Amino acid sequence: MRLHSLALRDFRGVKDRIVRFRALGTTVVVGDNEVGKSSLVEAFGLVFELPDDSKSTRIRDIQPVGQDVGPEVTAELSLGGRELTYSKRWLKNRSTELTIVEPDGRRQSWTGREAHNEAERLFHENVDPVLWQTLMVSQGQSLVLPTPADAEPLITAVTAESGTPVDGASMPLVTAVEHEYLRYWTPRGKPTGDYARSAKAVSAAELAAAQALQAMEEVQSDIRRAERLNLDLSDVDTRLSDHLKSVEELRERKKATDEILLRRDSVRSRAETARARLENHTRTRLDRERLLDEVERFTKFEAELAARRADADLVAKTAAEMVQAAEAALAEVVELKDLRRTDVQAAERRVSDLMDRAELDRLLVQQTELVDVRARIAAAGTILDRIKVDDAIVAALEDARAAVVEARAALAAGVPEVSVRRLGAEPVELSGTGLDGEVPSELGFDEAAEVLVSGELVIGVPGQLEVTVRAGGEAATLRSRVDDAVRREKDLLKKAGVKDVAAARELLRKADTATAELNEARRTEKSLTAGGDPGERIAVLTARLGADEETDDAGGKQAAVEGVPGQMSLFEEFASPHDTLFDDFEMPEPEADDLAGAQRTLDSAREALAEAERLLSDAEFAVAQARKAADEDRSEAQNARARSELAGERLAAAAEALETARAVLDDDGVSAAETEAMAEVETVLDELTVVQGQADEAGADQVAGELTHALAVATRLQGERDTLRDALRTTEGRLEQSGRDGLATRRDLADLELAAVRAEHDSLARRAEAARRVYETLSRHRAEAQTKYSEPLQTRIESLGRSVYGPSFRVWLDDDLAVAERELDGVRLRVDALSTGAQEQLAIITRLAISHLVSTGEGSVPVIFDDALGWSDKARLRDMGALLGRAGDHGQIIILTCMPDRYEYVPKATFIKLDA
């Protein structure tokens, strides 16, 4: 199919428009948003899909809002070798017209529903719907990769190219096998239908048979269980009767020993009471002894602490007196240090003044040297400013001189040299053009001239002879080279301001000398000014020395240094090192040892200050130690006083407690009460020993335990008997119920049902297994064939993609012939892992490959891209544009866009501009 033109009238926002497309090649339809680009694709789809009397809302949607008009579409296209003109108008004045021109030139026409039906028939006969939807990319769908496995024209094309038949006569068999397979199995290979239901029926029958058999086995088990329970119950009854007799005997023995146990308990209670009373009297005696000991101990401790308190008070008083003495000594040392610091400050000021004066003398000498150096810099700079020659100019002059010599040598070798000599009395005249050197106009007697002729030389003897010598064609070129070389040499000499190369070399030597002198002077200047501008330092020192002298001698004479410049720029005005700028500067020359003596005085003063500071440090340390000792002694005195007071309080408390205890019972009464309680305990313990012997002889302590154990055993036997009776009754009830249910009959019926169901299932299983094997065999062969017929499409995609991505581009297709993976530069990724731009480019390349494969068949359709290449960079747009241009050589490509810049690299594209 090829689309030649589309005409729209009253379609959405389009009033009246016709767009014509190239039948072979790339057509780019450009227009702003909402100008009606996408309406072209929509209109082409509607004209074949909906009749003119359709009530679909899609028709209502394309009618212009607020206008009572009928949308109209006219399409001109080629379809199945025929030329079609198809027009349709909906809603108002409905009409459908179809005109077909056959390949042999016959023309046929239809109108109304017949036209619609005929157009629909032709469209479905010649256009594969899957291929049409695959190659038509609507707006916003450019990222969707096609899955064209069901497009019959593509399958036909790849089959023809690969030579592997996949359809045709084999398809009915494949369909029949697949239908038979799906009767028994799901697409994932699980049982379904009658086969699955048969398997469930077998499982249910097996379960019923197993349950019937289990029921019969349970009856047999209940019979054996009932017999065993009867035997167990008889044995338990016998053992329980014998055990109850021994329980009665133990009860009689317990009654006989209870009296002995009661008497033993009474004696034991009196013994515990006597023992408690003895413990109380013993505790009272120990408390009385502790109180007596505390009173004696606290009395001695209180006397010792009083003596320590007196000693600590004396020591604290002595420490306070030592602190006062140390502080007085510290005050004297502080005063001495202040005096020594004053001496040091005075000596430092004297040394500083002397050093400033020495520094000022040094700076004045340095300033003089700096003025001389700057004069040398100015002189060298003046020389260099006058010299215009440098290494480049000298080299150029030497090259020009060599070029002149070389050109003249070539001229001498390439032109004739004429030698003329006058021999007689007749004059010989010379003239001409292109002569090298100065040629005389006339030769004297016996005079000769040698001339290189690059142009024309005329030798004449007036009235007798005229000889003309002309050089060849090469001579003019050689002469021109000589003239150019001479002219270039003269220009360079004029630019350098010299008469020849030797003079230029001499000027260059002078420039080098001046440059060396200038560099040396600048290094000296940099060295002299490394510490800053001497003038600024001179001004600072002068001002400071003047201020010091004013301070030392208020109202005296002015500062000795005056008029010293303070900025370096002022010195640049003086070119001579013999200026008299500092002639009026007067500064008294100090004695040679003044500074040394002042330094020695300063060192002595600093030593004295250091000694005073050492004495001060010792005094401060002594004061600190005295204060620390005084604080410790004072703290010790306070602690001794607190301990003494606490010991007195504890002594008073112990004495008060002793008096209180004696008021209750004196010391002798405490000892007597303890002795009496001890005798009572011994008496009761003797009685308890006699009673315990009687209890041991009668075994009173063991009877109660034996009776308790016997009662527990009787209870356990009774419970076991009751349990056996309940189990026996339950078992007998189940046996009675089983007899009424007819379990044997149920088991026989279940076995018959299971046999019938298994026979039916085995038959279905054989058919299902046969269908599965046939289906898997055909599927395996189809997969092998599919791998072969997918190769042409894969090869075509890779061929187109390598023109964009390079030779490392590869793709892999899935079972639906869709691109599943892409490899680039050795990196293999799934399609969904690629960037948005890469996915869009791959989708476009795939559609172009499909179009290329089907372009030669009758089932080909146009490739339509609506607003594609929106995620591609500049380089990719260039490569994709070239690819779209090449793809247009094999089929019809229609591009709808509002961004024409994306397709400026598409060669041979036809651009159609849509206006609003």
Side-chain angles (χ1 to χ4, degrees), residues 703-725:
V703 171
E706 292 176 0
L707 178 59
T708 301
H709 178 66
L711 290 174
V713 172
T715 302
R716 180 178 59 79
L717 290 174
Q718 289 174 352
E720 185 177 350
R721 182 190 61 186
D722 295 339
T723 301
L724 290 173
R725 285 176 177 173

Side-chain angles (χ1 to χ4, degrees), residues 882-901:
L883 179 61
L884 288 170
R886 290 194 301 274
D889 296 338
H890 303 282
Q892 184 180 30
I893 299 177
I894 299 173
I895 299 173
L896 309 175
T897 183
C898 60
M899 301 291 291
D901 294 345

Side-chain angles (χ1 to χ4, degrees), residues 586-780:
E586 295 181 0
M587 184 174 179
E589 290 290 334
E591 294 296 332
D593 59 346
D594 280 355
L595 179 59
Q599 187 65 44
R600 286 193 298 273
T601 301
L602 176 60
D603 294 340
S604 299
R606 286 176 176 171
E607 292 176 358
L609 176 60
E611 179 65 21
E613 289 177 344
R614 185 184 62 78
L615 293 175
L616 177 60
S617 177
D618 293 343
E620 290 175 345
F621 179 75
V623 169
Q625 291 297 107
R627 288 173 178 170
K628 180 179 179 182
D631 292 340
E632 292 177 352
D633 293 339
R634 186 166 52 253
S635 177
E636 180 63 26
Q638 291 174 354
N639 291 336
R641 189 179 299 109
R643 289 195 297 271
S644 177
E645 293 174 355
L646 180 60
E649 293 175 357
R650 295 177 68 181
L651 176 60
E656 182 180 357
L658 180 59
E659 291 300 326
T660 302
R662 284 175 174 172
V664 176
L665 187 63
D666 58 10
D667 296 342
D668 296 336
V670 171
S671 298
E674 183 182 11
T675 302
E676 182 182 351
M678 187 177 296
E680 182 181 358
V681 169
E682 292 176 353
T683 301
V684 175
L685 288 178
D686 291 340
E687 185 179 357
L688 179 61
T689 301
V690 174
V691 176
Q692 182 63 43
Q694 294 175 356
D696 292 341
E697 183 180 356
D701 291 328
Q702 290 78 17
V703 171
E706 292 176 0
L707 178 59
T708 301
H709 178 66
L711 290 174
V713 172
T715 302
R716 180 178 59 79
L717 290 174
Q718 289 174 352
E720 185 177 350
R721 182 190 61 186
D722 295 339
T723 301
L724 290 173
R725 285 176 177 173
D726 293 340
L728 181 58
R729 284 195 296 268
T730 301
T731 303
E732 291 174 346
R734 282 203 303 269
L735 290 173
E736 184 180 356
Q737 182 64 37
S738 298
R740 290 196 297 265
D741 290 343
L743 294 180
T745 304
R746 282 177 52 196
R747 186 188 65 179
D748 295 339
L749 293 176
D751 290 341
L752 292 174
E753 179 67 20
L754 176 60
V757 171
R758 276 181 176 170
E760 181 181 359
H761 178 70
D762 292 342
S763 176
L764 288 173
R766 288 191 297 272
R767 291 197 297 271
E769 183 64 22
R772 184 181 64 81
R773 290 183 180 178
V774 173
Y775 177 77
E776 290 177 352
T777 302
L778 287 179
S779 297
R780 184 173 65 255

